[in-house]
Amino acid sequence: MDMSFFAPRYMDIGAGAASRIAVMLGRLGLNRPLIVTDPMMVKLGLIARVTEPLDRAGMVYTVFSETVPEPVDRVIEAGVRFAADLDIDCIVAFGGGSPIDTAKAINILLAAPEGTRMRTFKVPVVADTAALPLIAVPTTAGTGSEATRFTVITDTETDEKMLIGGLGALPLAAIVDFELSMSVPARTTADTGIDAFTHALEAFVSRRANPVSDSYARAALGLIGANLRAVYHEPDNVAAREAMMLGATLAGLAFSNASVALVHGMSRPIGAHFHVPHGLSNAMLLPAVTRYSLHAALPRYAEAARIAGFAEPEDADQLAGAKLVDELDTINFDLGVPTPEAFGIRRDDWYGRRAVMADQALASGSPANNPAVPDAAAIIGLYEAIY
């Protein structure tokens, strides 16, 4: 059996873990972080969940909060300029997937020669070098970015969402505190939750799956499948929030090592061209792509349906697979996921860009991991089907 596996060196998981950030930094020999976050975390005062422990420990930190949803190369370059002259010894990424992905990209670019563009590192290039230790503190249960060796950045000149992967994007450590997700709005809860389920499912059916990634994917499918609706409809449900946060991290570990597949390959161009939040574009695609792929990995999809609680243990594979697709449609309805048309995208714009989006999806490499490997025509057909 030949395989490689990648994960953060140190993970602190549980209620109140964020309050222990200074202890973690101290164990790692670090005490001068740059905190990368978003403006809302600063405005709402949520950043205090990490700055107050640092203040008590006498650690000096600097904050960069100019990140944007669905990070772009210009913000990364601004972050590099901001960080270049600072006396820092690590980066703390605090927030949802966008601040964490931004911090990863800043760290990779900081280690490159001055003037290097972010597009230099898009796949198939392997971005194995970063400037500083990175500690990720997620505030949403969804992206799993705290546990992965990937980041996604939009090239503003080409409207391409670039997948960037390598050890340079892997956090040294992660703090996974479900209490940080308790105040996340319902729409974000839904989108990030479906994103996490997609990570687990795609890792499980990926052509690059391995026994270790499978163990994480199975655990994530069970946790997320049982709690996704609860965190949306019962935002104060502590047990469900805790289960979802753990599930999202486990799903991140799974797909970081097995890779995502067609849903993510098709989702990134939707985000780049139409500014649809990543989790939401995944949700738009997941039922149709699963239906398209089902025949190519029916036993795997059926097992995923049983683990997630969407099918009965005694259900035959064909029935379990059908129940999986039906349940994905129902979840989208229950969680208010719109079609691209209902989201406000004009038909002419959608159809006019479908070929470019298909080419960009294929270029990312993710569709090649799918059980049913599509060509451009198949991807175009799926874009048409979900509109």
PDB file of all heavy atoms in Angstrom, residues 50-82:
ATOM      1  N   VAL A  50      -9.372  35.986  20.148  1.00  0.00           N
ATOM      2  CA  VAL A  50      -7.955  35.601  20.081  1.00  0.00           C
ATOM      3  C   VAL A  50      -7.031  36.703  20.592  1.00  0.00           C
ATOM      4  O   VAL A  50      -5.956  36.411  21.119  1.00  0.00           O
ATOM      5  CB  VAL A  50      -7.541  35.171  18.652  1.00  0.00           C
ATOM      6  CG1 VAL A  50      -8.158  33.835  18.295  1.00  0.00           C
ATOM      7  CG2 VAL A  50      -7.882  36.227  17.614  1.00  0.00           C
ATOM      8  N   THR A  51      -7.425  37.975  20.430  1.00  0.00           N
ATOM      9  CA  THR A  51      -6.509  39.039  20.872  1.00  0.00           C
ATOM     10  C   THR A  51      -6.447  39.153  22.395  1.00  0.00           C
ATOM     11  O   THR A  51      -5.381  39.455  22.948  1.00  0.00           O
ATOM     12  CB  THR A  51      -6.915  40.399  20.272  1.00  0.00           C
ATOM     13  OG1 THR A  51      -8.262  40.713  20.635  1.00  0.00           O
ATOM     14  CG2 THR A  51      -6.771  40.384  18.753  1.00  0.00           C
ATOM     15  N   GLU A  52      -7.555  38.920  23.085  1.00  0.00           N
ATOM     16  CA  GLU A  52      -7.523  39.034  24.545  1.00  0.00           C
ATOM     17  C   GLU A  52      -6.588  38.010  25.187  1.00  0.00           C
ATOM     18  O   GLU A  52      -5.795  38.366  26.078  1.00  0.00           O
ATOM     19  CB  GLU A  52      -8.943  38.934  25.115  1.00  0.00           C
ATOM     20  CG  GLU A  52      -9.776  40.191  24.839  1.00  0.00           C
ATOM     21  CD  GLU A  52     -11.170  40.112  25.430  1.00  0.00           C
ATOM     22  OE1 GLU A  52     -11.526  39.032  25.995  1.00  0.00           O
ATOM     23  OE2 GLU A  52     -11.913  41.106  25.329  1.00  0.00           O
ATOM     24  N   PRO A  53      -6.606  36.742  24.767  1.00  0.00           N
ATOM     25  CA  PRO A  53      -5.614  35.808  25.324  1.00  0.00           C
ATOM     26  C   PRO A  53      -4.173  36.215  24.999  1.00  0.00           C
ATOM     27  O   PRO A  53      -3.275  36.027  25.830  1.00  0.00           O
ATOM     28  CB  PRO A  53      -5.974  34.473  24.669  1.00  0.00           C
ATOM     29  CG  PRO A  53      -7.399  34.604  24.277  1.00  0.00           C
ATOM     30  CD  PRO A  53      -7.593  36.046  23.932  1.00  0.00           C
ATOM     31  N   LEU A  54      -3.970  36.773  23.809  1.00  0.00           N
ATOM     32  CA  LEU A  54      -2.623  37.220  23.457  1.00  0.00           C
ATOM     33  C   LEU A  54      -2.207  38.408  24.326  1.00  0.00           C
ATOM     34  O   LEU A  54      -1.053  38.497  24.765  1.00  0.00           O
ATOM     35  CB  LEU A  54      -2.567  37.597  21.973  1.00  0.00           C
ATOM     36  CG  LEU A  54      -2.803  36.457  20.972  1.00  0.00           C
ATOM     37  CD1 LEU A  54      -2.815  36.999  19.548  1.00  0.00           C
ATOM     38  CD2 LEU A  54      -1.761  35.357  21.118  1.00  0.00           C
ATOM     39  N   ASP A  55      -3.151  39.328  24.564  1.00  0.00           N
ATOM     40  CA  ASP A  55      -2.856  40.469  25.445  1.00  0.00           C
ATOM     41  C   ASP A  55      -2.484  39.999  26.850  1.00  0.00           C
ATOM     42  O   ASP A  55      -1.510  40.495  27.452  1.00  0.00           O
ATOM     43  CB  ASP A  55      -4.075  41.404  25.535  1.00  0.00           C
ATOM     44  CG  ASP A  55      -4.310  42.198  24.260  1.00  0.00           C
ATOM     45  OD1 ASP A  55      -3.332  42.437  23.522  1.00  0.00           O
ATOM     46  OD2 ASP A  55      -5.469  42.584  24.012  1.00  0.00           O
ATOM     47  N   ARG A  56      -3.243  39.049  27.364  1.00  0.00           N
ATOM     48  CA  ARG A  56      -2.959  38.548  28.724  1.00  0.00           C
ATOM     49  C   ARG A  56      -1.585  37.895  28.800  1.00  0.00           C
ATOM     50  O   ARG A  56      -0.937  37.935  29.857  1.00  0.00           O
ATOM     51  CB  ARG A  56      -4.047  37.561  29.153  1.00  0.00           C
ATOM     52  CG  ARG A  56      -5.380  38.221  29.465  1.00  0.00           C
ATOM     53  CD  ARG A  56      -6.301  37.262  30.190  1.00  0.00           C
ATOM     54  NE  ARG A  56      -6.656  36.099  29.385  1.00  0.00           N
ATOM     55  CZ  ARG A  56      -7.704  36.034  28.591  1.00  0.00           C
ATOM     56  NH1 ARG A  56      -8.520  37.079  28.470  1.00  0.00           N
ATOM     57  NH2 ARG A  56      -7.976  34.932  27.907  1.00  0.00           N
ATOM     58  N   ALA A  57      -1.156  37.303  27.696  1.00  0.00           N
ATOM     59  CA  ALA A  57       0.146  36.636  27.675  1.00  0.00           C
ATOM     60  C   ALA A  57       1.289  37.599  27.342  1.00  0.00           C
ATOM     61  O   ALA A  57       2.444  37.192  27.326  1.00  0.00           O
ATOM     62  CB  ALA A  57       0.127  35.494  26.657  1.00  0.00           C
ATOM     63  N   GLY A  58       0.943  38.872  27.069  1.00  0.00           N
ATOM     64  CA  GLY A  58       1.971  39.853  26.744  1.00  0.00           C
ATOM     65  C   GLY A  58       2.565  39.688  25.360  1.00  0.00           C
ATOM     66  O   GLY A  58       3.684  40.170  25.097  1.00  0.00           O
ATOM     67  N   MET A  59       1.827  39.035  24.464  1.00  0.00           N
ATOM     68  CA  MET A  59       2.318  38.842  23.102  1.00  0.00           C
ATOM     69  C   MET A  59       1.931  40.029  22.234  1.00  0.00           C
ATOM     70  O   MET A  59       0.810  40.547  22.326  1.00  0.00           O
ATOM     71  CB  MET A  59       1.764  37.544  22.505  1.00  0.00           C
ATOM     72  CG  MET A  59       2.283  36.295  23.184  1.00  0.00           C
ATOM     73  SD  MET A  59       1.721  34.773  22.362  1.00  0.00           S
ATOM     74  CE  MET A  59       2.570  33.529  23.343  1.00  0.00           C
ATOM     75  N   VAL A  60       2.835  40.458  21.388  1.00  0.00           N
ATOM     76  CA  VAL A  60       2.615  41.599  20.505  1.00  0.00           C
ATOM     77  C   VAL A  60       2.125  41.075  19.157  1.00  0.00           C
ATOM     78  O   VAL A  60       2.738  40.192  18.557  1.00  0.00           O
ATOM     79  CB  VAL A  60       3.913  42.409  20.316  1.00  0.00           C
ATOM     80  CG1 VAL A  60       3.679  43.558  19.337  1.00  0.00           C
ATOM     81  CG2 VAL A  60       4.408  42.936  21.660  1.00  0.00           C
ATOM     82  N   TYR A  61       1.019  41.629  18.670  1.00  0.00           N
ATOM     83  CA  TYR A  61       0.448  41.171  17.410  1.00  0.00           C
ATOM     84  C   TYR A  61       0.086  42.356  16.538  1.00  0.00           C
ATOM     85  O   TYR A  61      -0.067  43.496  17.003  1.00  0.00           O
ATOM     86  CB  TYR A  61      -0.801  40.313  17.660  1.00  0.00           C
ATOM     87  CG  TYR A  61      -1.848  41.006  18.499  1.00  0.00           C
ATOM     88  CD1 TYR A  61      -2.779  41.873  17.929  1.00  0.00           C
ATOM     89  CD2 TYR A  61      -1.893  40.806  19.876  1.00  0.00           C
ATOM     90  CE1 TYR A  61      -3.723  42.525  18.709  1.00  0.00           C
ATOM     91  CE2 TYR A  61      -2.840  41.442  20.665  1.00  0.00           C
ATOM     92  CZ  TYR A  61      -3.748  42.298  20.070  1.00  0.00           C
ATOM     93  OH  TYR A  61      -4.670  42.944  20.837  1.00  0.00           O
ATOM     94  N   THR A  62      -0.066  42.089  15.244  1.00  0.00           N
ATOM     95  CA  THR A  62      -0.521  43.077  14.268  1.00  0.00           C
ATOM     96  C   THR A  62      -1.705  42.471  13.526  1.00  0.00           C
ATOM     97  O   THR A  62      -1.750  41.258  13.320  1.00  0.00           O
ATOM     98  CB  THR A  62       0.601  43.412  13.269  1.00  0.00           C
ATOM     99  OG1 THR A  62       1.786  43.762  13.979  1.00  0.00           O
ATOM    100  CG2 THR A  62       0.192  44.564  12.359  1.00  0.00           C
ATOM    101  N   VAL A  63      -2.676  43.303  13.148  1.00  0.00           N
ATOM    102  CA  VAL A  63      -3.894  42.807  12.499  1.00  0.00           C
ATOM    103  C   VAL A  63      -3.967  43.313  11.058  1.00  0.00           C
ATOM    104  O   VAL A  63      -3.820  44.510  10.800  1.00  0.00           O
ATOM    105  CB  VAL A  63      -5.153  43.248  13.261  1.00  0.00           C
ATOM    106  CG1 VAL A  63      -6.415  42.805  12.518  1.00  0.00           C
ATOM    107  CG2 VAL A  63      -5.142  42.679  14.680  1.00  0.00           C
ATOM    108  N   PHE A  64      -4.198  42.397  10.128  1.00  0.00           N
ATOM    109  CA  PHE A  64      -4.533  42.728   8.740  1.00  0.00           C
ATOM    110  C   PHE A  64      -5.956  42.255   8.515  1.00  0.00           C
ATOM    111  O   PHE A  64      -6.236  41.052   8.534  1.00  0.00           O
ATOM    112  CB  PHE A  64      -3.582  42.033   7.762  1.00  0.00           C
ATOM    113  CG  PHE A  64      -3.919  42.268   6.311  1.00  0.00           C
ATOM    114  CD1 PHE A  64      -3.606  43.476   5.696  1.00  0.00           C
ATOM    115  CD2 PHE A  64      -4.549  41.286   5.565  1.00  0.00           C
ATOM    116  CE1 PHE A  64      -3.922  43.694   4.351  1.00  0.00           C
ATOM    117  CE2 PHE A  64      -4.861  41.497   4.221  1.00  0.00           C
ATOM    118  CZ  PHE A  64      -4.549  42.703   3.624  1.00  0.00           C
ATOM    119  N   SER A  65      -6.883  43.201   8.306  1.00  0.00           N
ATOM    120  CA  SER A  65      -8.304  42.847   8.206  1.00  0.00           C
ATOM    121  C   SER A  65      -8.925  43.244   6.874  1.00  0.00           C
ATOM    122  O   SER A  65     -10.147  43.385   6.774  1.00  0.00           O
ATOM    123  CB  SER A  65      -9.089  43.515   9.343  1.00  0.00           C
ATOM    124  OG  SER A  65      -8.993  44.923   9.267  1.00  0.00           O
ATOM    125  N   GLU A  66      -8.109  43.402   5.857  1.00  0.00           N
ATOM    126  CA  GLU A  66      -8.633  43.861   4.562  1.00  0.00           C
ATOM    127  C   GLU A  66      -9.004  42.713   3.640  1.00  0.00           C
ATOM    128  O   GLU A  66      -9.009  42.872   2.417  1.00  0.00           O
ATOM    129  CB  GLU A  66      -7.583  44.758   3.884  1.00  0.00           C
ATOM    130  CG  GLU A  66      -7.144  45.956   4.723  1.00  0.00           C
ATOM    131  CD  GLU A  66      -8.323  46.769   5.224  1.00  0.00           C
ATOM    132  OE1 GLU A  66      -9.201  47.107   4.407  1.00  0.00           O
ATOM    133  OE2 GLU A  66      -8.379  47.043   6.442  1.00  0.00           O
ATOM    134  N   THR A  67      -9.302  41.556   4.203  1.00  0.00           N
ATOM    135  CA  THR A  67      -9.680  40.429   3.356  1.00  0.00           C
ATOM    136  C   THR A  67     -11.091  40.620   2.819  1.00  0.00           C
ATOM    137  O   THR A  67     -11.883  41.407   3.350  1.00  0.00           O
ATOM    138  CB  THR A  67      -9.608  39.106   4.136  1.00  0.00           C
ATOM    139  OG1 THR A  67     -10.609  39.101   5.154  1.00  0.00           O
ATOM    140  CG2 THR A  67      -8.242  38.922   4.781  1.00  0.00           C
ATOM    141  N   VAL A  68     -11.412  39.880   1.761  1.00  0.00           N
ATOM    142  CA  VAL A  68     -12.723  39.966   1.117  1.00  0.00           C
ATOM    143  C   VAL A  68     -13.280  38.557   0.945  1.00  0.00           C
ATOM    144  O   VAL A  68     -12.530  37.580   0.894  1.00  0.00           O
ATOM    145  CB  VAL A  68     -12.637  40.651  -0.260  1.00  0.00           C
ATOM    146  CG1 VAL A  68     -12.192  42.094  -0.119  1.00  0.00           C
ATOM    147  CG2 VAL A  68     -11.692  39.891  -1.198  1.00  0.00           C
ATOM    148  N   PRO A  69     -14.614  38.419   0.855  1.00  0.00           N
ATOM    149  CA  PRO A  69     -15.180  37.113   0.534  1.00  0.00           C
ATOM    150  C   PRO A  69     -14.656  36.640  -0.822  1.00  0.00           C
ATOM    151  O   PRO A  69     -14.467  37.443  -1.738  1.00  0.00           O
ATOM    152  CB  PRO A  69     -16.688  37.382   0.478  1.00  0.00           C
ATOM    153  CG  PRO A  69     -16.880  38.630   1.289  1.00  0.00           C
ATOM    154  CD  PRO A  69     -15.642  39.451   1.088  1.00  0.00           C
ATOM    155  N   GLU A  70     -14.405  35.356  -0.949  1.00  0.00           N
ATOM    156  CA  GLU A  70     -13.862  34.796  -2.183  1.00  0.00           C
ATOM    157  C   GLU A  70     -12.570  35.546  -2.551  1.00  0.00           C
ATOM    158  O   GLU A  70     -12.559  36.395  -3.449  1.00  0.00           O
ATOM    159  CB  GLU A  70     -14.880  34.874  -3.326  1.00  0.00           C
ATOM    160  CG  GLU A  70     -16.260  34.361  -2.960  1.00  0.00           C
ATOM    161  CD  GLU A  70     -16.280  32.895  -2.532  1.00  0.00           C
ATOM    162  OE1 GLU A  70     -15.569  32.077  -3.136  1.00  0.00           O
ATOM    163  OE2 GLU A  70     -16.993  32.581  -1.563  1.00  0.00           O
ATOM    164  N   PRO A  71     -11.461  35.281  -1.858  1.00  0.00           N
ATOM    165  CA  PRO A  71     -10.249  36.101  -1.946  1.00  0.00           C
ATOM    166  C   PRO A  71      -9.690  36.249  -3.354  1.00  0.00           C
ATOM    167  O   PRO A  71      -9.794  35.338  -4.177  1.00  0.00           O
ATOM    168  CB  PRO A  71      -9.260  35.370  -1.038  1.00  0.00           C
ATOM    169  CG  PRO A  71      -9.855  34.029  -0.767  1.00  0.00           C
ATOM    170  CD  PRO A  71     -11.321  34.162  -0.922  1.00  0.00           C
ATOM    171  N   VAL A  72      -9.116  37.432  -3.589  1.00  0.00           N
ATOM    172  CA  VAL A  72      -8.570  37.779  -4.910  1.00  0.00           C
ATOM    173  C   VAL A  72      -7.097  38.117  -4.784  1.00  0.00           C
ATOM    174  O   VAL A  72      -6.603  38.474  -3.724  1.00  0.00           O
ATOM    175  CB  VAL A  72      -9.344  38.970  -5.524  1.00  0.00           C
ATOM    176  CG1 VAL A  72     -10.805  38.623  -5.731  1.00  0.00           C
ATOM    177  CG2 VAL A  72      -9.214  40.210  -4.651  1.00  0.00           C
ATOM    178  N   ASP A  73      -6.404  38.020  -5.924  1.00  0.00           N
ATOM    179  CA  ASP A  73      -4.954  38.201  -5.927  1.00  0.00           C
ATOM    180  C   ASP A  73      -4.526  39.595  -5.468  1.00  0.00           C
ATOM    181  O   ASP A  73      -3.490  39.757  -4.797  1.00  0.00           O
ATOM    182  CB  ASP A  73      -4.364  37.878  -7.303  1.00  0.00           C
ATOM    183  CG  ASP A  73      -5.021  38.657  -8.449  1.00  0.00           C
ATOM    184  OD1 ASP A  73      -5.950  39.466  -8.198  1.00  0.00           O
ATOM    185  OD2 ASP A  73      -4.607  38.448  -9.609  1.00  0.00           O
ATOM    186  N   ARG A  74      -5.315  40.619  -5.760  1.00  0.00           N
ATOM    187  CA  ARG A  74      -4.925  41.976  -5.375  1.00  0.00           C
ATOM    188  C   ARG A  74      -4.871  42.132  -3.847  1.00  0.00           C
ATOM    189  O   ARG A  74      -4.007  42.834  -3.319  1.00  0.00           O
ATOM    190  CB  ARG A  74      -5.903  42.991  -5.976  1.00  0.00           C
ATOM    191  CG  ARG A  74      -5.778  43.123  -7.496  1.00  0.00           C
ATOM    192  CD  ARG A  74      -6.853  44.025  -8.054  1.00  0.00           C
ATOM    193  NE  ARG A  74      -6.783  44.100  -9.510  1.00  0.00           N
ATOM    194  CZ  ARG A  74      -7.740  44.582 -10.277  1.00  0.00           C
ATOM    195  NH1 ARG A  74      -8.852  45.064  -9.720  1.00  0.00           N
ATOM    196  NH2 ARG A  74      -7.604  44.621 -11.591  1.00  0.00           N
ATOM    197  N   VAL A  75      -5.797  41.498  -3.165  1.00  0.00           N
ATOM    198  CA  VAL A  75      -5.784  41.554  -1.708  1.00  0.00           C
ATOM    199  C   VAL A  75      -4.581  40.779  -1.166  1.00  0.00           C
ATOM    200  O   VAL A  75      -3.951  41.193  -0.187  1.00  0.00           O
ATOM    201  CB  VAL A  75      -7.099  41.002  -1.127  1.00  0.00           C
ATOM    202  CG1 VAL A  75      -7.009  40.841   0.387  1.00  0.00           C
ATOM    203  CG2 VAL A  75      -8.259  41.929  -1.488  1.00  0.00           C
ATOM    204  N   ILE A  76      -4.262  39.672  -1.797  1.00  0.00           N
ATOM    205  CA  ILE A  76      -3.087  38.900  -1.373  1.00  0.00           C
ATOM    206  C   ILE A  76      -1.830  39.752  -1.512  1.00  0.00           C
ATOM    207  O   ILE A  76      -0.990  39.818  -0.601  1.00  0.00           O
ATOM    208  CB  ILE A  76      -2.928  37.611  -2.213  1.00  0.00           C
ATOM    209  CG1 ILE A  76      -4.216  36.796  -2.221  1.00  0.00           C
ATOM    210  CG2 ILE A  76      -1.751  36.798  -1.702  1.00  0.00           C
ATOM    211  CD1 ILE A  76      -4.783  36.471  -0.874  1.00  0.00           C
ATOM    212  N   GLU A  77      -1.707  40.435  -2.634  1.00  0.00           N
ATOM    213  CA  GLU A  77      -0.525  41.277  -2.858  1.00  0.00           C
ATOM    214  C   GLU A  77      -0.472  42.421  -1.852  1.00  0.00           C
ATOM    215  O   GLU A  77       0.607  42.787  -1.362  1.00  0.00           O
ATOM    216  CB  GLU A  77      -0.538  41.794  -4.295  1.00  0.00           C
ATOM    217  CG  GLU A  77      -0.302  40.677  -5.321  1.00  0.00           C
ATOM    218  CD  GLU A  77      -0.742  41.044  -6.729  1.00  0.00           C
ATOM    219  OE1 GLU A  77      -1.124  42.214  -6.951  1.00  0.00           O
ATOM    220  OE2 GLU A  77      -0.719  40.156  -7.607  1.00  0.00           O
ATOM    221  N   ALA A  78      -1.634  42.988  -1.513  1.00  0.00           N
ATOM    222  CA  ALA A  78      -1.670  44.041  -0.491  1.00  0.00           C
ATOM    223  C   ALA A  78      -1.247  43.486   0.862  1.00  0.00           C
ATOM    224  O   ALA A  78      -0.535  44.148   1.637  1.00  0.00           O
ATOM    225  CB  ALA A  78      -3.074  44.640  -0.404  1.00  0.00           C
ATOM    226  N   GLY A  79      -1.673  42.280   1.163  1.00  0.00           N
ATOM    227  CA  GLY A  79      -1.286  41.649   2.409  1.00  0.00           C
ATOM    228  C   GLY A  79       0.200  41.376   2.483  1.00  0.00           C
ATOM    229  O   GLY A  79       0.823  41.525   3.545  1.00  0.00           O
ATOM    230  N   VAL A  80       0.788  40.989   1.369  1.00  0.00           N
ATOM    231  CA  VAL A  80       2.240  40.762   1.323  1.00  0.00           C
ATOM    232  C   VAL A  80       2.991  42.067   1.576  1.00  0.00           C
ATOM    233  O   VAL A  80       3.958  42.099   2.347  1.00  0.00           O
ATOM    234  CB  VAL A  80       2.640  40.142  -0.031  1.00  0.00           C
ATOM    235  CG1 VAL A  80       4.161  40.148  -0.201  1.00  0.00           C
ATOM    236  CG2 VAL A  80       2.095  38.722  -0.147  1.00  0.00           C
ATOM    237  N   ARG A  81       2.527  43.149   0.937  1.00  0.00           N
ATOM    238  CA  ARG A  81       3.178  44.444   1.163  1.00  0.00           C
ATOM    239  C   ARG A  81       3.046  44.862   2.626  1.00  0.00           C
ATOM    240  O   ARG A  81       3.984  45.407   3.223  1.00  0.00           O
ATOM    241  CB  ARG A  81       2.574  45.512   0.245  1.00  0.00           C
ATOM    242  CG  ARG A  81       2.908  45.325  -1.230  1.00  0.00           C
ATOM    243  CD  ARG A  81       2.517  46.546  -2.050  1.00  0.00           C
ATOM    244  NE  ARG A  81       1.078  46.798  -2.035  1.00  0.00           N
ATOM    245  CZ  ARG A  81       0.226  46.276  -2.928  1.00  0.00           C
ATOM    246  NH1 ARG A  81       0.667  45.461  -3.874  1.00  0.00           N
ATOM    247  NH2 ARG A  81      -1.064  46.567  -2.855  1.00  0.00           N
ATOM    248  N   PHE A  82       1.892  44.614   3.215  1.00  0.00           N
ATOM    249  CA  PHE A  82       1.649  44.965   4.613  1.00  0.00           C
ATOM    250  C   PHE A  82       2.578  44.184   5.542  1.00  0.00           C
ATOM    251  O   PHE A  82       3.129  44.718   6.512  1.00  0.00           O
ATOM    252  CB  PHE A  82       0.188  44.678   4.958  1.00  0.00           C
ATOM    253  CG  PHE A  82      -0.211  45.012   6.368  1.00  0.00           C
ATOM    254  CD1 PHE A  82      -0.611  46.299   6.693  1.00  0.00           C
ATOM    255  CD2 PHE A  82      -0.191  44.048   7.368  1.00  0.00           C
ATOM    256  CE1 PHE A  82      -0.988  46.617   8.002  1.00  0.00           C
ATOM    257  CE2 PHE A  82      -0.564  44.354   8.669  1.00  0.00           C
ATOM    258  CZ  PHE A  82      -0.958  45.648   8.983  1.00  0.00           C
TER     259      PHE A  82
END
